[in-house]
Structure formats: structure tokens, C-alpha cells
Amino acid sequence: MYGNAYIDPNEKANAMIAGEDPIKLAEFEARIARGEKIEPKDWMPKEYRKQLIRMIEQHGHSEIIGALPEGTWITRAPGFKRKMALMAKVQDEVGHAQLLYSAAETLGKSREDMTNDLITGKSKYSNVFNYPAFTWADACIIAWLIDAGAIINQVANAKGSYGPYCRALDRICTEESFHLKYGHDNVVTLATGTPIQRQMVQEALTRWWPPIMHFFGPSDKISQHSEILMRWKVKMASNDDMRQQFLNMYVPKIWDLGLVLPDPKLKLNEETKKWEYTEPDWDEFKRVINGGGPCNAERLAVRRMAEERGRWVRKALYNATEKYVTPLA
Amino acid sequence: MIKSLDPRVTRENIEENNLIAPLTPMDNWETYEVFHQKKRGDQHMHVGIVHAPNPEMALLFGKEQYGRRSITANIWVVKTANVFASEYDDADMFETTPEKQYREAGGYKVMDKINKYKKANKA
Ligand SMILES: [Fe+2]
Ligand SMILES: [Fe+2]
């Protein structure tokens, strides 16, 4: 999952292409306009590199941190088959992080630096994982709907311009289809089960709806910054468009199960074909992303613990004749 | 101390500000390029990289990362440092020109001659 890296689209951006060689920039943009991919050793604007590193790295962190609330439920998942399936899903997510870090690495940021920026809180990850998975049903809602949101984002980004990121996303998207089916199956099982199971999944859905509405980020303001990122195929769709796509695909499926979404304003406007909804609480979003959520401290403390406790093994295996070379693709 | 919903996390007695020394270069080792063969008879295809301290572990990580979810017959790993690659900037060296038709199958047309010969020798 979880490619909704938080790029502030409202940043002042006139400096984005300052100092770039106009001829090289024109060639670079023409290549992208022709639908060709950019490869690691190609010339690229500084800002293109910077934005991609930030986006891919945050996407990688989201996969790692996202494995924590779900991993919690492996031992308590109901039944052997679900334990096995959840274990496979969590392993996939950690594998996604590896693929994404590898793609970011081709742009010149070392994996060690990325991990440092995660564990010191300098880099962000998807805000939804700062919320806890209270019950088994929460884990099911995450697997279905958070992965669904992630797929929308990842399918869009897979058509972007940076070759290594696109290749990683293609592999990732293949695995995500299992996550989505698995999550949907679990939610349907609860929603069509006993009254207690139905209540459990309804409560989880009610809890997760605000973070889900936050998932794609605030509306993009039209700015030169976001226009350039779209032209460079770094950003492939506006946050609002992705949110609309999500609502279009999943609200009917949720309503099919007779579940209630905690937003009385949510409806499809038949004329505009757009979903109307209560504006999400973006102050809450900012508060949580900046460290104020229920699980921020735990997520980073657990990640630091894992790093520290595994360190001696990695040091023991290190061979001083090794030399780091930036990966090729 | 971190108090988690997950009792296993709580039992670890993790300090909330458990600051640790930062990672240093090579903590995650060097990289290996991974080549994956789907089935016997297929070409090995480059699929990505793994970080590993030695070739044996690169194979192990390569299997987990790239062979876990797809049919796999065989995997190769090669140190990134040992790969020599051409430059994209030199891509024009791969271009071919119309006068190089002599090295393409389509550059050879014999039917005209055969038909002419057949016609001439019919009489
Ligand atoms: Fe994922
Ligand atoms: Fe996933």
C-alpha cells in the first residue's frame, strides 16, 4: 500500500526551475511529453529529483509503518487460514518498502539516510497509520479500504515518468489485488455474520472513515508548483480526483452491505456525477501528521527498537571490503 | 514507557524517546542486482536489487523479494559494482540507418528475379 506521500501542493514554487539549464530542461520535458521514462543516470531538474525522493521514500516508510497495526493482528486473526493470509499480506507490505527504498536510492539518497529520517521523525509516512486497529474488524477495514485507496494512488503513479518507481509500482500493484480481495472477504464475512460481528465491523468503519477521507490529502490549490509536478508526471492526479474515484468505487460496495457511513452529507450528485461530502477536518489531519495522533510515538519507538536490536547482526555480517555503488535501475 | 494496544509491544518496555545512534554508511551493506528466470528455457530478466553482505544472503533475499510471489525456476545475483553499463547519452550508437538493409531479412527480395526468370523461360 500506501502511496499518498504528503507533498504540500501549496508551497511557493517559483523557485522550482530556477538555475536549470533551459535546453536540458526542454529536452527532459519533451521526453516526458512523448511518454518516455526517465532513468536514474539521465539529467533531471534538481526539484524533480528532490520531489521524487521525498515521495518514494515516504511511500516506503508508509509500507513499513503500515505493517505495524496489521501485524498486531496476526496472532489473533480468527482461524488458521486468516493468520496465514495476514502474515503473507504483512510480508508483502514490508517487501513493498524494500522495492520503494530501492527506487528512491537510485536518485542518490542512501537507505541508511532514509531510515535515519524516518526514525527521527523528519520524514513522514501515511497519516492513517497513526491510528490504532482496536479490533479484528479494524484490521479488516484497513486491508480492504486503506489498501483500496493505496491502489488508486499506486495505479496512477505507475504511469508516472520515473522508470524505477514505475517498475516498483507495477510489481506492488500485482500483490495489492490479493490484499484487496482478502480485506473485502473479511469485511463481507463480518457484515453478513452475526449481529455482534455486524456491529463490530460497523464500529470499525465509523472509526476509520475520517482517516480514510484524509487519505488522499487536502484539495490541491492550483499553483505553478502543482502544475509543474503534473507536467513532469511526478503527480499523476489531483487529491480530490483520487478521492472521488475512491468514493465512486467503494461507497456503493459499502452501502451494498447495509453499512452506514458517518457522514449525512455523503451522496452522489446525479448532475455533476461528483460525490458530495462533509469537508474532512484538516486541522485534525495536520495535528496528527505533526505528531499529535494516538500512535505516532509508539510507531516510531517500535521502529527504533527494531533498528537497534537488529543492529549487531548487521554489523557482524558486514565485510569491510564492501563498497557501496548506487544501484542501476 | 510505550503502552500499546498490543500487549507484546507493551511487554517490551520501550521508552517513548528511545533515541538511538543514527545509522552509518554501509549499515545496510552494498547492493546486488537480481535476475529472475520464470521457467526453464526463459531468459533471466533483471527485476531489481537487494542489499546484502554476501552473495549467499543476496540469493536468500532475492528469493524472498522476487521469487516469493511468482513462478521461479532460477535466480542470479550480481554485485552492482560488477555491472558495466552503457550510457543513455550514447544511445545514438544503437541507431540503425536505411543503408544497413543488407543486414535485415527485409533487405533481400528474390521474388522479382524468380518471376522474371520463370517468365523468360516459359516460352
Ligand atoms: Fe503495499
Ligand atoms: Fe497492501
Side-chain angles (χ1 to χ4, degrees):
Chain A
M1 339 177 175
Y2 319 122
N4 61 332
Y6 179 59
I7 290 177
D8 185 355
N10 306 320
E11 209 168 273
K12 283 212 176 54
N14 290 340
M16 269 189 86
I17 49 174
E20 299 293 359
D21 178 337
I23 294 169
K24 285 185 171 162
L25 183 63
E27 281 171 2
F28 167 85
E29 292 194 343
R31 187 181 293 287
I32 292 173
R34 286 195 302 271
E36 290 175 31
K37 303 289 180 187
I38 303 299
E39 294 293 343
K41 285 185 177 163
D42 286 332
W43 181 92
M44 59 185 84
K46 284 186 284 302
E47 206 48 39
Y48 177 84
R49 185 184 299 277
K50 192 177 129 194
Q51 295 290 347
L52 271 172
I53 290 176
R54 179 157 71 161
M55 205 167 115
I56 304 171
E57 176 188 344
Q58 287 182 14
H59 189 173
H61 295 332
S62 303
E63 305 281 349
I64 289 275
I65 300 295
L68 297 175
E70 288 193 286
T72 293
W73 283 96
I74 292 173
T75 54
R76 287 171 283 165
F80 186 65
K81 192 182 157 196
R82 290 195 191 85
K83 284 185 177 63
M84 296 297 281
L86 182 53
M87 203 154 30
K89 178 181 190 295
V90 169
Q91 191 189 18
D92 284 350
E93 305 299 6
V94 175
H96 295 171
Q98 300 294 324
L99 293 171
L100 292 160
Y101 287 150
S102 300
E105 226 175 306
T106 61
L107 291 158
K109 182 164 183 178
S110 76
R111 194 169 290 206
E112 290 86 0
D113 282 345
M114 289 188 258
T115 303
N116 281 331
D117 286 349
L118 172 65
I119 63 184
T120 55
K122 190 177 164 209
S123 291
K124 302 285 180 237
Y125 52 86
S126 186
N127 205 34
V128 287
F129 302 121
N130 290 317
Y131 294 89
F134 276 113
T135 68
W136 165 246
D138 293 64
C140 300
I141 293 287
I142 295 174
W144 185 31
L145 295 177
I146 300 295
D147 279 54
I151 291 170
I152 288 173
N153 190 287
Q154 289 168 166
V155 167
N157 283 347
K159 297 186 195 80
S161 61
Y162 189 56
Y165 189 35
C166 299
R167 290 189 286 269
L169 287 173
D170 284 341
R171 299 192 80 83
I172 288 171
C173 287
T174 314
E175 297 182 358
E176 291 294 357
S177 49
F178 144 63
H179 302 177
L180 187 71
K181 288 275 185 184
Y182 155 86
H184 193 207
D185 183 84
N186 283 337
V187 170
V188 170
T189 301
L190 293 174
T192 58
T194 65
I196 291 172
Q197 286 176 314
R198 262 191 83 80
Q199 190 193 339
M200 189 163 92
V201 77
Q202 175 63 62
E203 285 170 3
L205 180 63
T206 304
R207 268 194 292 278
W208 279 87
W209 193 246
I212 287 169
M213 289 299 284
H214 286 150
F215 183 79
F216 296 103
S219 305
D220 310 86
K221 294 220 175 73
I222 307 299
S223 68
Q224 200 199 2
H225 183 89
S226 59
E227 261 174 43
I228 291 179
L229 290 181
M230 291 261 195
R231 187 164 78 230
W232 288 349
K233 295 189 187 165
V234 169
K235 192 167 176 57
M236 296 303 289
S238 78
N239 295 351
D240 282 333
D241 285 351
M242 287 190 284
R243 192 162 23 243
Q244 285 290 332
Q245 204 187 330
F246 173 84
L247 294 171
N248 225 1
M249 287 174 78
Y250 293 96
V251 172
K253 291 191 170 77
I254 294 167
W255 283 346
D256 271 351
L257 295 170
L259 296 170
V260 180
L261 290 168
D263 181 357
K265 280 196 192 160
L266 184 70
K267 71 165 192 332
L268 182 67
N269 181 324
E270 291 296 345
E271 272 165 38
T272 60
K273 297 287 173 210
K274 296 253 184 221
W275 286 85
E276 293 169 359
Y277 49 80
T278 308
E279 191 58 28
D281 181 351
W282 296 113
D283 291 334
E284 157 81 0
F285 174 75
K286 281 186 194 126
R287 191 180 65 76
V288 174
I289 212 166
N290 288 319
C295 296
N296 301 55
E298 174 182 336
R299 300 283 183 249
L300 291 186
V302 168
R303 181 66 192 83
R304 283 191 294 265
M305 176 198 75
E307 180 58 37
E308 195 181 32
R309 293 190 186 176
R311 187 167 279 173
W312 69 272
V313 184
R314 286 188 290 275
K315 292 269 187 226
L317 287 164
Y318 171 65
N319 166 354
T321 61
E322 284 180 46
K323 248 183 86 189
Y324 181 80
V325 178
T326 305
L328 295 165
Chain B
M1 292 296 167
I2 297 289
K3 281 212 45 96
S4 173
L5 266 180
D6 186 342
R8 292 165 310 170
V9 171
T10 305
R11 281 200 298 270
E12 293 294 335
N13 292 320
I14 311 166
E15 296 283 350
E16 192 158 316
N17 288 308
N18 54 342
L19 295 179
I20 65 168
L23 285 79
T24 51
M26 298 303 292
D27 273 3
N28 289 171
W29 313 300
E30 66 186 313
T31 67
Y32 287 74
E33 305 288 328
V34 182
F35 297 82
H36 175 266
Q37 186 193 37
K38 222 172 171 174
K39 54 180 202 298
R40 284 166 183 266
D42 285 354
Q43 308 271 18
H44 284 69
M45 293 258 288
H46 181 259
V47 284
I49 62 153
V50 291
H51 283 247
N54 55 50
E56 292 76 16
M57 285 198 67
L59 267 180
L60 187 71
F61 291 150
K63 169 186 164 279
E64 283 306 307
Q65 185 69 52
Y66 300 102
R68 177 176 93 256
R69 295 302 226 94
S70 52
I71 312 159
T72 306
N74 193 249
I75 285 179
W76 294 342
V77 293
V78 179
K79 275 189 190 198
T80 301
N82 288 345
V83 177
F84 293 82
S86 64
E87 300 287 337
Y88 281 98
D89 279 348
D90 297 335
D92 56 351
M93 73 182 175
F94 300 116
E95 262 164 39
T96 187
T97 48
E99 62 269 24
K100 283 186 177 167
Q101 284 287 311
Y102 63 83
R103 58 180 202 180
E104 317 256 333
Y108 294 88
K109 295 194 171 62
V110 293
M111 282 319 285
D112 288 358
K113 282 180 199 155
I114 293 174
N115 287 336
K116 201 176 151 198
Y117 173 81
K118 278 172 141 177
K119 223 171 151 186
N121 288 279
K122 229 182 198 173

